Amino acid sequence: MKLVRLSVNGETREFSGPLSVAELLQQLKAPRDAVAVEVDRQVIPRLQREAHMLQGGEQVEVVTLVGGG
Amino acid sequence: MSDDVLVVGGREFRSRLILGTGKYPSHELMRAAHEAANVDMVTVAVRRVDLTGRSGPSLLDFIDRKRVALLPNTAGCYTTEDALRAARLGREALGTEFVKLEVLGDEKTLLPDVVATLEATRELVREGFKVMVYTSDDPIVAAKLADLGAAAVMPAGSPIGSGLGVLNPVNLRLILEALRVPVILDAGVGTASDVTLAMELGVDGILLNTGVALAKDPVRMARAMAAACCAGHDAFHSGRIIKRLHGSASSPLEGHFAEPPRRGGA
């Protein structure tokens, strides 16, 4: 099994591959509602999460909405 | 209540007051404040998901999204690129074209970097965003932002969270004179009279967060801000009387038994 090493929200972590963005979100137990994902500074739209495979070495940001002004 | 509505980017809002969701003592108090002010748009910030699983209930569970529109912001961004990223992430997370764009220039004053703000506005408009843009109270910059296609121009009354109110009413008037798009006062509001003053100058709406969230009683202050917003709006459209140096009696002089005092020479 191939390990995929990623930076997720600024922290380096390893996941078992092959790994799509959708699978990454599942493994992270990220909330389903109001979440956006960026891979190497490009937003990955919801509909492409299944198809977008992570190779390793990417910088991933998983964001949501919090209180602000 | 004013019966007219605020239209931004083709969408109608009944309330001319937009509140934030930050700095409240609790999510419950935030919800109660939003309800007390009867707002239909609130701002939210884009931040990393807490992946430790230790985060409490989501803020979004305390907002009735069927009734209240969420306006994602780019708060805390200091470069055009980061602001664009935040805007795109907010759109992806919420499925809204609306964004409150802010590109800050300095951590101490939190005043906007207007050059970066102009750049980011140009790009976001090109990408189809409805850009509600936080800017300084400079009338020239405000006009340029409107020319670039901003859905609303939102000058600061004073620095974010300062509570100093509207420091330059003259600039605000010049902005209002020059712009056709909605002008919303964003930042600096400390209390209800700041809201009324801005609305009496003719701004189309008010965006504020700290003034309510950090008040001792946020719910009551939210109600005050909403009332002040309506009062100022109605006063602006009512055609106020001209200011005069001398008094003008409201009760008739005719038929009065008392004589006015005689003073001076003649």
Side-chain angles (χ1 to χ4, degrees), chain B residues 10-22:
Chain B
R11 182 164 171 170
E12 288 188 357
F13 299 93
R14 285 172 297 108
S15 172
R16 292 178 177 273
L17 181 65
I18 302 167
L19 289 180
T21 56

PDB file of all heavy atoms in Angstrom, chain B residues 10-22:
ATOM      1  N   GLY B  10     -28.337  42.697  -7.207  1.00  0.00           N
ATOM      2  CA  GLY B  10     -29.575  42.122  -7.713  1.00  0.00           C
ATOM      3  C   GLY B  10     -30.397  41.396  -6.659  1.00  0.00           C
ATOM      4  O   GLY B  10     -31.470  40.883  -6.942  1.00  0.00           O
ATOM      5  N   ARG B  11     -29.908  41.334  -5.432  1.00  0.00           N
ATOM      6  CA  ARG B  11     -30.656  40.658  -4.374  1.00  0.00           C
ATOM      7  C   ARG B  11     -31.219  41.693  -3.389  1.00  0.00           C
ATOM      8  O   ARG B  11     -30.545  42.656  -3.050  1.00  0.00           O
ATOM      9  CB  ARG B  11     -29.725  39.677  -3.652  1.00  0.00           C
ATOM     10  CG  ARG B  11     -30.444  38.906  -2.583  1.00  0.00           C
ATOM     11  CD  ARG B  11     -29.675  37.700  -2.125  1.00  0.00           C
ATOM     12  NE  ARG B  11     -30.354  37.151  -0.958  1.00  0.00           N
ATOM     13  CZ  ARG B  11     -30.072  35.996  -0.401  1.00  0.00           C
ATOM     14  NH1 ARG B  11     -29.099  35.266  -0.894  1.00  0.00           N
ATOM     15  NH2 ARG B  11     -30.723  35.568   0.648  1.00  0.00           N
ATOM     16  N   GLU B  12     -32.434  41.447  -2.956  1.00  0.00           N
ATOM     17  CA  GLU B  12     -33.103  42.384  -2.051  1.00  0.00           C
ATOM     18  C   GLU B  12     -32.896  41.988  -0.595  1.00  0.00           C
ATOM     19  O   GLU B  12     -32.992  40.813  -0.250  1.00  0.00           O
ATOM     20  CB  GLU B  12     -34.615  42.398  -2.327  1.00  0.00           C
ATOM     21  CG  GLU B  12     -34.981  43.083  -3.626  1.00  0.00           C
ATOM     22  CD  GLU B  12     -36.495  43.247  -3.773  1.00  0.00           C
ATOM     23  OE1 GLU B  12     -37.244  42.782  -2.893  1.00  0.00           O
ATOM     24  OE2 GLU B  12     -36.897  43.841  -4.788  1.00  0.00           O
ATOM     25  N   PHE B  13     -32.632  42.982   0.220  1.00  0.00           N
ATOM     26  CA  PHE B  13     -32.504  42.775   1.664  1.00  0.00           C
ATOM     27  C   PHE B  13     -33.469  43.713   2.363  1.00  0.00           C
ATOM     28  O   PHE B  13     -33.490  44.902   2.085  1.00  0.00           O
ATOM     29  CB  PHE B  13     -31.056  43.035   2.114  1.00  0.00           C
ATOM     30  CG  PHE B  13     -30.071  42.103   1.468  1.00  0.00           C
ATOM     31  CD1 PHE B  13     -29.415  42.459   0.299  1.00  0.00           C
ATOM     32  CD2 PHE B  13     -29.829  40.850   1.993  1.00  0.00           C
ATOM     33  CE1 PHE B  13     -28.524  41.592  -0.324  1.00  0.00           C
ATOM     34  CE2 PHE B  13     -28.943  39.973   1.385  1.00  0.00           C
ATOM     35  CZ  PHE B  13     -28.290  40.346   0.237  1.00  0.00           C
ATOM     36  N   ARG B  14     -34.242  43.163   3.292  1.00  0.00           N
ATOM     37  CA  ARG B  14     -35.209  43.990   4.024  1.00  0.00           C
ATOM     38  C   ARG B  14     -34.483  44.869   5.029  1.00  0.00           C
ATOM     39  O   ARG B  14     -34.867  45.999   5.284  1.00  0.00           O
ATOM     40  CB  ARG B  14     -36.212  43.111   4.775  1.00  0.00           C
ATOM     41  CG  ARG B  14     -37.268  42.461   3.901  1.00  0.00           C
ATOM     42  CD  ARG B  14     -38.068  41.465   4.723  1.00  0.00           C
ATOM     43  NE  ARG B  14     -37.218  40.381   5.209  1.00  0.00           N
ATOM     44  CZ  ARG B  14     -36.831  40.207   6.460  1.00  0.00           C
ATOM     45  NH1 ARG B  14     -37.224  41.036   7.393  1.00  0.00           N
ATOM     46  NH2 ARG B  14     -36.047  39.203   6.808  1.00  0.00           N
ATOM     47  N   SER B  15     -33.436  44.322   5.622  1.00  0.00           N
ATOM     48  CA  SER B  15     -32.704  45.077   6.642  1.00  0.00           C
ATOM     49  C   SER B  15     -31.520  45.789   6.009  1.00  0.00           C
ATOM     50  O   SER B  15     -30.840  45.232   5.147  1.00  0.00           O
ATOM     51  CB  SER B  15     -32.208  44.121   7.724  1.00  0.00           C
ATOM     52  OG  SER B  15     -31.349  44.821   8.601  1.00  0.00           O
ATOM     53  N   ARG B  16     -31.295  47.002   6.442  1.00  0.00           N
ATOM     54  CA  ARG B  16     -30.122  47.753   5.973  1.00  0.00           C
ATOM     55  C   ARG B  16     -28.951  47.587   6.933  1.00  0.00           C
ATOM     56  O   ARG B  16     -27.928  48.237   6.792  1.00  0.00           O
ATOM     57  CB  ARG B  16     -30.474  49.237   5.818  1.00  0.00           C
ATOM     58  CG  ARG B  16     -31.449  49.452   4.688  1.00  0.00           C
ATOM     59  CD  ARG B  16     -31.873  50.887   4.502  1.00  0.00           C
ATOM     60  NE  ARG B  16     -32.748  50.968   3.337  1.00  0.00           N
ATOM     61  CZ  ARG B  16     -32.310  51.135   2.095  1.00  0.00           C
ATOM     62  NH1 ARG B  16     -31.031  51.302   1.868  1.00  0.00           N
ATOM     63  NH2 ARG B  16     -33.156  51.149   1.087  1.00  0.00           N
ATOM     64  N   LEU B  17     -29.135  46.739   7.901  1.00  0.00           N
ATOM     65  CA  LEU B  17     -28.073  46.460   8.870  1.00  0.00           C
ATOM     66  C   LEU B  17     -27.526  45.058   8.616  1.00  0.00           C
ATOM     67  O   LEU B  17     -28.297  44.104   8.507  1.00  0.00           O
ATOM     68  CB  LEU B  17     -28.639  46.557  10.291  1.00  0.00           C
ATOM     69  CG  LEU B  17     -27.660  46.318  11.441  1.00  0.00           C
ATOM     70  CD1 LEU B  17     -26.590  47.400  11.485  1.00  0.00           C
ATOM     71  CD2 LEU B  17     -28.405  46.278  12.775  1.00  0.00           C
ATOM     72  N   ILE B  18     -26.220  44.967   8.474  1.00  0.00           N
ATOM     73  CA  ILE B  18     -25.558  43.668   8.313  1.00  0.00           C
ATOM     74  C   ILE B  18     -24.686  43.479   9.552  1.00  0.00           C
ATOM     75  O   ILE B  18     -23.893  44.365   9.886  1.00  0.00           O
ATOM     76  CB  ILE B  18     -24.679  43.659   7.042  1.00  0.00           C
ATOM     77  CG1 ILE B  18     -25.523  43.978   5.796  1.00  0.00           C
ATOM     78  CG2 ILE B  18     -23.962  42.310   6.882  1.00  0.00           C
ATOM     79  CD1 ILE B  18     -24.682  44.298   4.557  1.00  0.00           C
ATOM     80  N   LEU B  19     -24.870  42.363  10.235  1.00  0.00           N
ATOM     81  CA  LEU B  19     -24.083  42.121  11.447  1.00  0.00           C
ATOM     82  C   LEU B  19     -23.019  41.060  11.198  1.00  0.00           C
ATOM     83  O   LEU B  19     -23.133  40.240  10.291  1.00  0.00           O
ATOM     84  CB  LEU B  19     -24.989  41.687  12.595  1.00  0.00           C
ATOM     85  CG  LEU B  19     -25.911  42.754  13.197  1.00  0.00           C
ATOM     86  CD1 LEU B  19     -26.738  42.152  14.330  1.00  0.00           C
ATOM     87  CD2 LEU B  19     -25.120  43.958  13.704  1.00  0.00           C
ATOM     88  N   GLY B  20     -22.006  41.076  12.047  1.00  0.00           N
ATOM     89  CA  GLY B  20     -20.976  40.053  11.995  1.00  0.00           C
ATOM     90  C   GLY B  20     -21.333  38.876  12.890  1.00  0.00           C
ATOM     91  O   GLY B  20     -22.386  38.854  13.546  1.00  0.00           O
ATOM     92  N   THR B  21     -20.425  37.899  12.914  1.00  0.00           N
ATOM     93  CA  THR B  21     -20.637  36.707  13.738  1.00  0.00           C
ATOM     94  C   THR B  21     -19.432  36.446  14.652  1.00  0.00           C
ATOM     95  O   THR B  21     -19.370  35.417  15.317  1.00  0.00           O
ATOM     96  CB  THR B  21     -20.851  35.470  12.836  1.00  0.00           C
ATOM     97  OG1 THR B  21     -19.724  35.353  11.957  1.00  0.00           O
ATOM     98  CG2 THR B  21     -22.117  35.586  12.001  1.00  0.00           C
ATOM     99  N   GLY B  22     -18.495  37.390  14.691  1.00  0.00           N
ATOM    100  CA  GLY B  22     -17.286  37.200  15.482  1.00  0.00           C
ATOM    101  C   GLY B  22     -17.379  37.839  16.856  1.00  0.00           C
ATOM    102  O   GLY B  22     -18.196  38.737  17.079  1.00  0.00           O
TER     103      GLY B  22
END
